[in-house]
Amino acid sequence: MIVFKTNAEIELIRKSALMVSATLTEVAKFLKPGITTKSIDQLAETFIKDNKGIPSFKGYHGFPGSLCISINNVVVHGIPGTTLLQDGDIVSIDCGVYMNGFHGDSAYTFAIGNVQEATLRLLRITKESVLKGTAQAKENNRVGDISYAIEQYCARENGYGVVRELVGHGVGKKLHEDPQVPNHGKRGDGKKLKEGIVLAIEPMITLGTRDVYTLKDDWTVVTKDGKPAAHYEHTTAVRKNGGELLSSFAPIEAAEMANPELNSSYYQKATATV
Ligand code: MG
Ligand code: MG
């Protein structure tokens, strides 16, 4: 059942979503080779709590971290631990914050240093695909219009794999609400979109084939072919003319550009061409 939000409630979701963006910005300042994923998680958890938020993921179905930290061939749900970031890695960081009774949910993939050109391109296309989906999050469209736009751009136009086992979702008082928002589908399929619906749109896109499996820890989702995967996510309100982003990448990008350990060349190029 879809839970519709009032504009006042959407403003509260925006606060939570922007706290996620602020947390990912702190992460962007901190990232460098040689740090553990656990240290990133601790930084984020402290930041969220200092700002009177609650990490949405901690304890969610028993998840042990405040962030999901997924390196290279890990698509999503990587558990923070003793793994060290290395030059050449990509790392997808998914964060949720609960404040004022509502969740915000957003994710961003960072490139650590000398990442291969083909992988940087995967990041650019995946990030752009979130906006392709968001543009379809408008009144009287259907969920399938969002799904189709993402699959069209990532798979058919750019030849990447679109992971099907995991999907975007409604977000509000609960972290995961109806409707599910797959990253593949047909135009005109699925639930009709109306103002008051808030969605987490989150393409999970692979450099190789789209097949994934879950490791024995029951969380970590990896690509079957071992190739890298990227994951970007925005919390978005359905509006008359297209989705309104409630989370923001702008402060994350500014921190990414200012951090010499991070490779932001992929979207600098994107800005020039899009
Ligand atoms: Mg997320
Ligand atoms: Mg999500």
Side-chain angles (χ1 to χ4, degrees):
M1 187 192 70
I2 294 177
V3 181
F4 289 84
K5 283 83 181 174
T6 65
N7 275 326
E9 289 174 327
I10 290 173
E11 289 314 307
L12 293 177
I13 297 175
R14 189 195 308 274
K15 282 189 181 167
S16 301
L18 289 177
M19 187 54 63
V20 174
S21 304
T23 306
L24 291 173
T25 301
E26 291 306 303
V27 166
K29 295 175 190 168
F30 181 69
L31 290 176
K32 62 179 179 184
I35 60 172
T36 64
T37 52
K38 182 74 193 165
S39 71
I40 305 166
D41 188 65
Q42 283 167 344
L43 174 104
E45 184 170 326
T46 301
F47 182 83
I48 293 166
K49 288 180 175 171
D50 284 351
N51 285 283
K52 309 208 179 331
I54 296 168
S56 303
F57 301 171
K58 188 122 188 182
Y60 186 82
H61 294 290
F63 189 77
S66 291
L67 300 175
C68 297
I69 304 181
S70 306
I71 298 174
N72 295 334
N73 62 315
V74 181
V75 183
V76 286
H77 301 166
I79 298 172
T82 55
T83 306
L84 299 174
L85 287 190
Q86 295 183 32
D87 182 73
D89 283 346
I90 58 167
V91 56
S92 300
I93 305 208
D94 194 350
C95 179
V97 169
Y98 182 76
M99 294 171 75
N100 306 307
F102 290 90
H103 294 274
D105 190 6
S106 180
Y108 199 96
T109 303
F110 297 94
I112 311 292
N114 297 298
V115 172
Q116 291 185 359
E117 199 62 38
T119 305
L120 291 174
R121 189 174 180 283
L122 171 72
L123 302 195
R124 173 167 71 84
I125 299 299
T126 305
K127 191 198 249 187
E128 289 170 0
S129 78
V130 181
L131 300 183
K132 302 275 182 191
T134 301
Q136 298 300 319
K138 60 184 172 189
E139 180 111 345
N140 295 324
N141 260 6
R142 290 183 181 265
V143 169
D145 294 308
I146 299 173
S147 310
Y148 176 86
I150 293 170
E151 186 182 29
Q152 173 67 18
Y153 190 59
C154 294
R156 286 184 285 274
E157 293 178 22
N158 283 289
Y160 295 137
V162 175
V163 173
R164 297 187 173 192
E165 286 79 354
L166 299 132
V167 297
H169 51 91
V171 58
K173 287 184 178 166
K174 292 186 183 162
L175 179 61
H176 295 124
E177 297 184 351
D178 285 339
Q180 292 199 344
V181 185
N183 295 304
H184 74 286
K186 290 187 186 142
R187 279 187 283 206
D189 258 11
K191 295 257 166 60
K192 196 176 256 193
L193 299 173
K194 292 284 172 199
E195 285 209 67
I197 296 178
V198 177
L199 302 172
I201 297 176
E202 50 176 318
M204 290 149 267
I205 307 300
T206 64
L207 193 60
T209 59
R210 63 174 168 79
D211 301 316
V212 299
Y213 66 96
T214 305
L215 299 185
K216 287 213 175 83
D217 63 19
D218 282 339
W219 282 107
T220 312
V221 177
V222 299
T223 57
K224 223 171 223 177
D225 61 12
K227 291 189 177 172
H231 179 213
Y232 292 84
E233 176 181 25
H234 267 307
T235 296
T236 300
V238 173
R239 298 296 192 191
K240 288 229 158 24
N241 299 313
E244 179 190 359
L245 298 179
L246 302 180
S247 46
S248 173
F249 286 163
I252 306 170
E253 289 173 344
E256 188 184 29
M257 257 196 272
N259 181 345
E261 307 286 354
L262 295 178
N263 191 328
S264 55
S265 63
Y266 69 96
Y267 75 84
Q268 288 167 336
K269 279 177 201 159
T271 310
T273 53
V274 172

Short mmCIF file of all heavy atoms in Angstrom, two decimals, residues 23-85:
data_model
loop_
_atom_site.label_atom_id
_atom_site.label_comp_id
_atom_site.label_asym_id
_atom_site.label_seq_id
_atom_site.Cartn_x
_atom_site.Cartn_y
_atom_site.Cartn_z
N THR A 23 26.11 13.70 5.47
CA THR A 23 26.93 12.58 5.95
C THR A 23 27.84 12.07 4.84
O THR A 23 29.04 11.85 5.06
CB THR A 23 26.02 11.44 6.45
OG1 THR A 23 25.11 11.95 7.42
CG2 THR A 23 26.85 10.31 7.06
N LEU A 24 27.28 11.92 3.63
CA LEU A 24 28.11 11.45 2.50
C LEU A 24 29.18 12.48 2.15
O LEU A 24 30.25 12.14 1.65
CB LEU A 24 27.22 11.13 1.29
CG LEU A 24 26.31 9.90 1.47
CD1 LEU A 24 25.33 9.77 0.30
CD2 LEU A 24 27.14 8.62 1.61
N THR A 25 28.88 13.76 2.42
CA THR A 25 29.88 14.81 2.20
C THR A 25 31.05 14.66 3.18
O THR A 25 32.22 14.79 2.79
CB THR A 25 29.22 16.20 2.36
OG1 THR A 25 28.15 16.30 1.41
CG2 THR A 25 30.22 17.32 2.12
N GLU A 26 30.73 14.36 4.44
CA GLU A 26 31.79 14.11 5.43
C GLU A 26 32.62 12.90 5.01
O GLU A 26 33.85 12.90 5.14
CB GLU A 26 31.19 13.88 6.82
CG GLU A 26 30.56 15.12 7.43
CD GLU A 26 31.52 16.31 7.48
OE1 GLU A 26 32.60 16.18 8.07
OE2 GLU A 26 31.18 17.36 6.91
N VAL A 27 31.94 11.89 4.51
CA VAL A 27 32.64 10.69 4.03
C VAL A 27 33.58 11.06 2.87
O VAL A 27 34.73 10.61 2.82
CB VAL A 27 31.62 9.62 3.60
CG1 VAL A 27 32.28 8.51 2.79
CG2 VAL A 27 30.91 9.03 4.82
N ALA A 28 33.08 11.92 1.97
CA ALA A 28 33.89 12.30 0.79
C ALA A 28 35.17 13.03 1.20
O ALA A 28 36.20 12.92 0.53
CB ALA A 28 33.06 13.19 -0.15
N LYS A 29 35.10 13.77 2.30
CA LYS A 29 36.31 14.46 2.78
C LYS A 29 37.30 13.48 3.38
O LYS A 29 38.51 13.74 3.40
CB LYS A 29 35.92 15.49 3.86
CG LYS A 29 35.05 16.63 3.39
CD LYS A 29 34.66 17.51 4.60
CE LYS A 29 33.60 18.52 4.21
NZ LYS A 29 33.02 19.17 5.41
N PHE A 30 36.82 12.37 3.88
CA PHE A 30 37.60 11.43 4.69
C PHE A 30 38.25 10.32 3.85
O PHE A 30 39.29 9.77 4.23
CB PHE A 30 36.65 10.81 5.72
CG PHE A 30 37.24 9.82 6.67
CD1 PHE A 30 38.14 10.22 7.65
CD2 PHE A 30 36.88 8.48 6.61
CE1 PHE A 30 38.68 9.31 8.56
CE2 PHE A 30 37.41 7.56 7.51
CZ PHE A 30 38.31 7.97 8.48
N LEU A 31 37.67 10.00 2.70
CA LEU A 31 38.10 8.83 1.93
C LEU A 31 39.53 8.97 1.42
O LEU A 31 39.91 10.02 0.89
CB LEU A 31 37.17 8.60 0.74
CG LEU A 31 35.74 8.13 1.06
CD1 LEU A 31 34.93 8.05 -0.23
CD2 LEU A 31 35.75 6.78 1.76
N LYS A 32 40.31 7.91 1.54
CA LYS A 32 41.65 7.82 0.97
C LYS A 32 42.12 6.37 1.04
O LYS A 32 41.55 5.58 1.82
CB LYS A 32 42.62 8.74 1.73
CG LYS A 32 42.80 8.38 3.18
CD LYS A 32 43.79 9.31 3.87
CE LYS A 32 43.92 8.94 5.34
NZ LYS A 32 44.78 9.83 6.08
N PRO A 33 43.12 6.00 0.30
CA PRO A 33 43.63 4.63 0.39
C PRO A 33 44.19 4.38 1.79
O PRO A 33 44.71 5.29 2.44
CB PRO A 33 44.77 4.60 -0.64
CG PRO A 33 44.53 5.75 -1.55
CD PRO A 33 43.83 6.79 -0.73
N GLY A 34 44.04 3.14 2.27
CA GLY A 34 44.66 2.74 3.53
C GLY A 34 43.75 2.82 4.74
O GLY A 34 44.14 2.40 5.83
N ILE A 35 42.53 3.34 4.58
CA ILE A 35 41.61 3.36 5.72
C ILE A 35 40.67 2.16 5.65
O ILE A 35 40.38 1.63 4.58
CB ILE A 35 40.79 4.67 5.79
CG1 ILE A 35 39.92 4.86 4.54
CG2 ILE A 35 41.71 5.88 6.01
CD1 ILE A 35 38.95 6.03 4.63
N THR A 36 40.20 1.72 6.83
CA THR A 36 39.26 0.59 6.86
C THR A 36 37.85 1.08 6.58
O THR A 36 37.50 2.24 6.85
CB THR A 36 39.24 -0.09 8.24
OG1 THR A 36 38.75 0.84 9.21
CG2 THR A 36 40.63 -0.58 8.65
N THR A 37 37.04 0.17 6.08
CA THR A 37 35.63 0.53 5.86
C THR A 37 34.94 0.77 7.21
O THR A 37 34.01 1.57 7.29
CB THR A 37 34.91 -0.56 5.05
OG1 THR A 37 35.12 -1.83 5.67
CG2 THR A 37 35.44 -0.61 3.63
N LYS A 38 35.40 0.10 8.25
CA LYS A 38 34.83 0.32 9.59
C LYS A 38 35.04 1.77 10.04
O LYS A 38 34.15 2.36 10.68
CB LYS A 38 35.50 -0.65 10.57
CG LYS A 38 34.98 -0.59 11.99
CD LYS A 38 33.61 -1.23 12.12
CE LYS A 38 32.97 -0.87 13.44
NZ LYS A 38 31.53 -1.17 13.45
N SER A 39 36.21 2.33 9.70
CA SER A 39 36.47 3.72 10.13
C SER A 39 35.54 4.70 9.42
O SER A 39 35.14 5.71 9.98
CB SER A 39 37.95 4.09 9.91
OG SER A 39 38.24 4.23 8.53
N ILE A 40 35.19 4.39 8.18
CA ILE A 40 34.23 5.23 7.44
C ILE A 40 32.86 5.16 8.12
O ILE A 40 32.18 6.16 8.33
CB ILE A 40 34.12 4.77 5.97
CG1 ILE A 40 35.50 4.75 5.30
CG2 ILE A 40 33.15 5.66 5.20
CD1 ILE A 40 35.52 3.98 3.97
N ASP A 41 32.49 3.95 8.49
CA ASP A 41 31.20 3.73 9.15
C ASP A 41 31.13 4.48 10.48
O ASP A 41 30.11 5.09 10.80
CB ASP A 41 31.02 2.22 9.37
CG ASP A 41 29.63 1.87 9.86
OD1 ASP A 41 28.67 2.09 9.08
OD2 ASP A 41 29.50 1.41 10.99
N GLN A 42 32.22 4.43 11.24
CA GLN A 42 32.23 5.11 12.54
C GLN A 42 32.14 6.63 12.37
O GLN A 42 31.43 7.30 13.13
CB GLN A 42 33.50 4.73 13.32
CG GLN A 42 33.37 3.33 13.92
CD GLN A 42 34.67 2.75 14.43
OE1 GLN A 42 35.76 3.21 14.11
NE2 GLN A 42 34.55 1.71 15.25
N LEU A 43 32.85 7.15 11.37
CA LEU A 43 32.77 8.59 11.09
C LEU A 43 31.32 9.00 10.80
O LEU A 43 30.81 9.98 11.34
CB LEU A 43 33.66 8.93 9.89
CG LEU A 43 33.55 10.36 9.40
CD1 LEU A 43 34.77 11.17 9.84
CD2 LEU A 43 33.41 10.43 7.89
N ALA A 44 30.67 8.21 9.96
CA ALA A 44 29.28 8.53 9.57
C ALA A 44 28.34 8.42 10.75
O ALA A 44 27.50 9.30 10.97
CB ALA A 44 28.84 7.61 8.44
N GLU A 45 28.49 7.36 11.52
CA GLU A 45 27.59 7.16 12.67
C GLU A 45 27.72 8.30 13.68
O GLU A 45 26.71 8.83 14.17
CB GLU A 45 27.89 5.82 13.34
CG GLU A 45 26.93 5.51 14.46
CD GLU A 45 27.05 4.09 15.00
OE1 GLU A 45 27.34 3.17 14.20
OE2 GLU A 45 26.85 3.92 16.21
N THR A 46 28.96 8.72 13.95
CA THR A 46 29.18 9.82 14.88
C THR A 46 28.56 11.10 14.34
O THR A 46 27.89 11.84 15.07
CB THR A 46 30.70 10.02 15.10
OG1 THR A 46 31.23 8.80 15.61
CG2 THR A 46 30.99 11.15 16.07
N PHE A 47 28.76 11.36 13.05
CA PHE A 47 28.22 12.58 12.43
C PHE A 47 26.69 12.60 12.51
O PHE A 47 26.08 13.62 12.87
CB PHE A 47 28.69 12.68 10.98
CG PHE A 47 28.21 13.92 10.29
CD1 PHE A 47 28.88 15.13 10.44
CD2 PHE A 47 27.07 13.90 9.49
CE1 PHE A 47 28.42 16.29 9.82
CE2 PHE A 47 26.61 15.05 8.86
CZ PHE A 47 27.29 16.25 9.02
N ILE A 48 26.08 11.49 12.19
CA ILE A 48 24.60 11.42 12.20
C ILE A 48 24.08 11.65 13.62
O ILE A 48 23.16 12.44 13.85
CB ILE A 48 24.12 10.05 11.65
CG1 ILE A 48 24.44 9.94 10.15
CG2 ILE A 48 22.63 9.86 11.90
CD1 ILE A 48 24.31 8.53 9.59
N LYS A 49 24.70 10.98 14.59
CA LYS A 49 24.22 11.12 15.99
C LYS A 49 24.49 12.52 16.53
O LYS A 49 23.65 13.07 17.26
CB LYS A 49 24.88 10.05 16.86
CG LYS A 49 24.34 8.65 16.57
CD LYS A 49 24.99 7.59 17.43
CE LYS A 49 24.34 6.23 17.21
NZ LYS A 49 25.10 5.16 17.87
N ASP A 50 25.63 13.11 16.16
CA ASP A 50 25.93 14.48 16.60
C ASP A 50 24.88 15.46 16.08
O ASP A 50 24.67 16.53 16.66
CB ASP A 50 27.31 14.94 16.09
CG ASP A 50 28.44 14.32 16.90
OD1 ASP A 50 28.16 13.68 17.94
OD2 ASP A 50 29.62 14.46 16.48
N ASN A 51 24.27 15.12 14.96
CA ASN A 51 23.24 15.98 14.36
C ASN A 51 21.83 15.50 14.71
O ASN A 51 20.87 15.85 14.01
CB ASN A 51 23.45 16.04 12.85
CG ASN A 51 24.62 16.94 12.49
OD1 ASN A 51 24.49 18.16 12.52
ND2 ASN A 51 25.78 16.35 12.21
N LYS A 52 21.73 14.70 15.75
CA LYS A 52 20.45 14.27 16.31
C LYS A 52 19.65 13.37 15.35
O LYS A 52 18.41 13.34 15.40
CB LYS A 52 19.60 15.47 16.76
CG LYS A 52 20.38 16.44 17.67
CD LYS A 52 19.48 17.17 18.60
CE LYS A 52 20.20 18.13 19.55
NZ LYS A 52 21.59 17.77 19.91
N GLY A 53 20.37 12.68 14.50
CA GLY A 53 19.72 11.70 13.63
C GLY A 53 19.99 10.29 14.14
O GLY A 53 20.81 10.08 15.03
N ILE A 54 19.30 9.35 13.55
CA ILE A 54 19.52 7.94 13.85
C ILE A 54 19.90 7.26 12.53
O ILE A 54 19.22 7.47 11.52
CB ILE A 54 18.23 7.29 14.42
CG1 ILE A 54 17.88 7.93 15.77
CG2 ILE A 54 18.38 5.79 14.55
CD1 ILE A 54 16.49 7.56 16.27
N PRO A 55 20.99 6.49 12.51
CA PRO A 55 21.33 5.78 11.27
C PRO A 55 20.25 4.74 10.96
O PRO A 55 19.99 3.84 11.76
CB PRO A 55 22.67 5.09 11.62
CG PRO A 55 23.17 5.76 12.86
CD PRO A 55 21.95 6.24 13.60
N SER A 56 19.60 4.89 9.80
CA SER A 56 18.47 4.02 9.47
C SER A 56 18.86 2.55 9.33
O SER A 56 18.05 1.67 9.58
CB SER A 56 17.85 4.46 8.13
OG SER A 56 17.45 5.80 8.16
N PHE A 57 20.09 2.32 8.90
CA PHE A 57 20.46 0.95 8.54
C PHE A 57 20.90 0.12 9.74
O PHE A 57 20.81 -1.09 9.73
CB PHE A 57 21.61 0.92 7.52
CG PHE A 57 21.34 1.62 6.22
CD1 PHE A 57 22.36 1.82 5.31
CD2 PHE A 57 20.06 2.06 5.88
CE1 PHE A 57 22.13 2.46 4.09
CE2 PHE A 57 19.82 2.70 4.68
CZ PHE A 57 20.86 2.90 3.78
N LYS A 58 21.41 0.81 10.78
CA LYS A 58 22.00 0.07 11.91
C LYS A 58 20.92 -0.77 12.59
O LYS A 58 19.93 -0.25 13.10
CB LYS A 58 22.60 1.05 12.92
CG LYS A 58 23.39 0.36 14.00
CD LYS A 58 24.81 0.82 14.05
CE LYS A 58 25.60 -0.03 15.01
NZ LYS A 58 26.98 0.44 15.08
N GLY A 59 21.12 -2.09 12.55
CA GLY A 59 20.15 -2.99 13.16
C GLY A 59 18.96 -3.33 12.27
O GLY A 59 18.12 -4.16 12.64
N TYR A 60 18.89 -2.71 11.07
CA TYR A 60 17.78 -3.00 10.15
C TYR A 60 17.90 -4.45 9.66
O TYR A 60 18.88 -4.80 8.99
CB TYR A 60 17.82 -2.02 8.97
CG TYR A 60 16.65 -2.10 8.02
CD1 TYR A 60 15.45 -1.48 8.32
CD2 TYR A 60 16.75 -2.82 6.84
CE1 TYR A 60 14.37 -1.55 7.44
CE2 TYR A 60 15.67 -2.91 5.96
CZ TYR A 60 14.49 -2.27 6.27
OH TYR A 60 13.43 -2.35 5.40
N HIS A 61 16.94 -5.28 10.03
CA HIS A 61 17.03 -6.73 9.77
C HIS A 61 18.38 -7.28 10.25
O HIS A 61 18.92 -8.21 9.64
CB HIS A 61 16.82 -7.05 8.29
CG HIS A 61 15.44 -6.75 7.79
ND1 HIS A 61 14.33 -7.46 8.16
CD2 HIS A 61 15.00 -5.77 6.97
CE1 HIS A 61 13.24 -6.96 7.59
NE2 HIS A 61 13.62 -5.92 6.86
N GLY A 62 18.93 -6.65 11.28
CA GLY A 62 20.19 -7.12 11.86
C GLY A 62 21.44 -6.61 11.19
O GLY A 62 22.56 -7.04 11.53
N PHE A 63 21.32 -5.66 10.26
CA PHE A 63 22.53 -5.14 9.60
C PHE A 63 23.43 -4.47 10.64
O PHE A 63 22.98 -3.64 11.42
CB PHE A 63 22.17 -4.15 8.48
CG PHE A 63 23.37 -3.75 7.64
CD1 PHE A 63 23.87 -4.62 6.68
CD2 PHE A 63 24.02 -2.54 7.85
CE1 PHE A 63 24.99 -4.28 5.92
CE2 PHE A 63 25.14 -2.19 7.10
CZ PHE A 63 25.62 -3.07 6.13
N PRO A 64 24.74 -4.82 10.64
CA PRO A 64 25.61 -4.35 11.73
C PRO A 64 26.15 -2.94 11.57
O PRO A 64 26.65 -2.38 12.55
CB PRO A 64 26.76 -5.37 11.71
CG PRO A 64 26.79 -5.91 10.33
CD PRO A 64 25.39 -5.84 9.80
N GLY A 65 26.08 -2.34 10.39
CA GLY A 65 26.70 -1.04 10.18
C GLY A 65 25.70 0.10 10.10
O GLY A 65 24.48 -0.12 10.02
N SER A 66 26.23 1.34 10.09
CA SER A 66 25.40 2.51 9.82
C SER A 66 25.39 2.84 8.33
O SER A 66 24.52 3.55 7.85
CB SER A 66 25.92 3.72 10.60
OG SER A 66 25.69 3.53 11.98
N LEU A 67 26.40 2.37 7.63
CA LEU A 67 26.51 2.52 6.18
C LEU A 67 26.61 1.14 5.54
O LEU A 67 27.13 0.20 6.17
CB LEU A 67 27.79 3.28 5.80
CG LEU A 67 28.00 4.68 6.32
CD1 LEU A 67 29.40 5.16 5.91
CD2 LEU A 67 26.93 5.64 5.79
N CYS A 68 26.17 1.03 4.30
CA CYS A 68 26.56 -0.10 3.46
C CYS A 68 27.75 0.39 2.64
O CYS A 68 27.66 1.44 1.98
CB CYS A 68 25.44 -0.52 2.53
SG CYS A 68 23.98 -1.12 3.39
N ILE A 69 28.85 -0.36 2.69
CA ILE A 69 30.08 0.06 2.01
C ILE A 69 30.51 -1.06 1.08
O ILE A 69 30.90 -2.14 1.52
CB ILE A 69 31.19 0.40 3.02
CG1 ILE A 69 30.68 1.49 3.99
CG2 ILE A 69 32.46 0.86 2.30
CD1 ILE A 69 31.69 1.93 5.04
N SER A 70 30.39 -0.80 -0.22
CA SER A 70 30.49 -1.86 -1.22
C SER A 70 31.61 -1.53 -2.21
O SER A 70 31.51 -0.55 -2.94
CB SER A 70 29.15 -2.01 -1.95
OG SER A 70 28.10 -2.20 -0.99
N ILE A 71 32.66 -2.35 -2.19
CA ILE A 71 33.86 -2.05 -2.98
C ILE A 71 33.89 -2.89 -4.27
O ILE A 71 33.68 -4.10 -4.23
CB ILE A 71 35.13 -2.33 -2.13
CG1 ILE A 71 35.15 -1.42 -0.89
CG2 ILE A 71 36.40 -2.13 -2.95
CD1 ILE A 71 36.27 -1.71 0.08
N ASN A 72 34.17 -2.23 -5.37
CA ASN A 72 34.44 -2.86 -6.68
C ASN A 72 33.32 -3.79 -7.14
O ASN A 72 32.30 -3.33 -7.60
CB ASN A 72 35.79 -3.58 -6.64
CG ASN A 72 36.94 -2.58 -6.46
OD1 ASN A 72 36.82 -1.42 -6.82
ND2 ASN A 72 38.04 -3.05 -5.89
N ASN A 73 33.53 -5.12 -7.00
CA ASN A 73 32.54 -6.08 -7.49
C ASN A 73 31.37 -6.26 -6.53
O ASN A 73 30.42 -6.98 -6.84
CB ASN A 73 33.20 -7.45 -7.71
CG ASN A 73 33.75 -8.03 -6.42
OD1 ASN A 73 34.41 -7.31 -5.65
ND2 ASN A 73 33.49 -9.28 -6.16
N VAL A 74 31.44 -5.62 -5.36
CA VAL A 74 30.29 -5.65 -4.44
C VAL A 74 29.28 -4.62 -4.93
O VAL A 74 29.62 -3.44 -5.11
CB VAL A 74 30.70 -5.37 -2.98
CG1 VAL A 74 29.48 -5.45 -2.07
CG2 VAL A 74 31.77 -6.37 -2.53
N VAL A 75 28.05 -5.07 -5.16
CA VAL A 75 27.03 -4.19 -5.73
C VAL A 75 26.43 -3.32 -4.63
O VAL A 75 26.40 -2.10 -4.74
CB VAL A 75 25.92 -5.02 -6.43
CG1 VAL A 75 24.90 -4.10 -7.07
CG2 VAL A 75 26.51 -5.99 -7.44
N VAL A 76 25.93 -3.97 -3.60
CA VAL A 76 25.32 -3.26 -2.46
C VAL A 76 25.47 -4.12 -1.20
O VAL A 76 25.86 -5.29 -1.27
CB VAL A 76 23.80 -2.99 -2.68
CG1 VAL A 76 23.57 -1.88 -3.69
CG2 VAL A 76 23.07 -4.26 -3.06
N HIS A 77 25.12 -3.49 -0.06
CA HIS A 77 25.00 -4.16 1.25
C HIS A 77 26.33 -4.68 1.78
O HIS A 77 26.34 -5.61 2.61
CB HIS A 77 23.97 -5.31 1.21
CG HIS A 77 22.59 -4.85 0.81
ND1 HIS A 77 21.59 -5.71 0.44
CD2 HIS A 77 22.05 -3.60 0.73
CE1 HIS A 77 20.49 -5.01 0.13
NE2 HIS A 77 20.76 -3.73 0.30
N GLY A 78 27.46 -4.10 1.35
CA GLY A 78 28.74 -4.46 1.93
C GLY A 78 28.78 -4.08 3.41
O GLY A 78 28.32 -2.99 3.79
N ILE A 79 29.28 -4.97 4.25
CA ILE A 79 29.34 -4.74 5.70
C ILE A 79 30.66 -4.07 6.05
O ILE A 79 31.72 -4.55 5.67
CB ILE A 79 29.21 -6.09 6.45
CG1 ILE A 79 27.86 -6.74 6.15
CG2 ILE A 79 29.39 -5.89 7.96
CD1 ILE A 79 27.74 -8.16 6.70
N PRO A 80 30.62 -2.94 6.78
CA PRO A 80 31.87 -2.29 7.19
C PRO A 80 32.72 -3.23 8.04
O PRO A 80 32.19 -3.98 8.87
CB PRO A 80 31.38 -1.09 8.03
CG PRO A 80 29.98 -0.86 7.60
CD PRO A 80 29.43 -2.20 7.22
N GLY A 81 34.04 -3.18 7.82
CA GLY A 81 34.91 -4.10 8.55
C GLY A 81 36.36 -3.69 8.40
O GLY A 81 36.68 -2.50 8.31
N THR A 82 37.24 -4.69 8.34
CA THR A 82 38.68 -4.43 8.36
C THR A 82 39.28 -4.26 6.97
O THR A 82 40.48 -4.01 6.84
CB THR A 82 39.41 -5.58 9.06
OG1 THR A 82 39.06 -6.80 8.40
CG2 THR A 82 39.01 -5.67 10.53
N THR A 83 38.47 -4.38 5.92
CA THR A 83 38.99 -4.19 4.56
C THR A 83 39.55 -2.78 4.40
O THR A 83 38.94 -1.81 4.84
CB THR A 83 37.86 -4.40 3.53
OG1 THR A 83 37.26 -5.67 3.76
CG2 THR A 83 38.39 -4.33 2.10
N LEU A 84 40.72 -2.68 3.77
CA LEU A 84 41.36 -1.38 3.54
C LEU A 84 41.02 -0.88 2.14
O LEU A 84 41.08 -1.65 1.17
CB LEU A 84 42.88 -1.52 3.65
CG LEU A 84 43.43 -1.98 5.00
CD1 LEU A 84 44.94 -2.22 4.90
CD2 LEU A 84 43.14 -0.97 6.10
N LEU A 85 40.68 0.39 2.03
CA LEU A 85 40.52 0.99 0.70
C LEU A 85 41.87 1.04 0.02
O LEU A 85 42.88 1.33 0.65
CB LEU A 85 39.97 2.42 0.81
CG LEU A 85 38.52 2.62 1.20
CD1 LEU A 85 38.15 4.10 1.00
CD2 LEU A 85 37.59 1.73 0.40
#
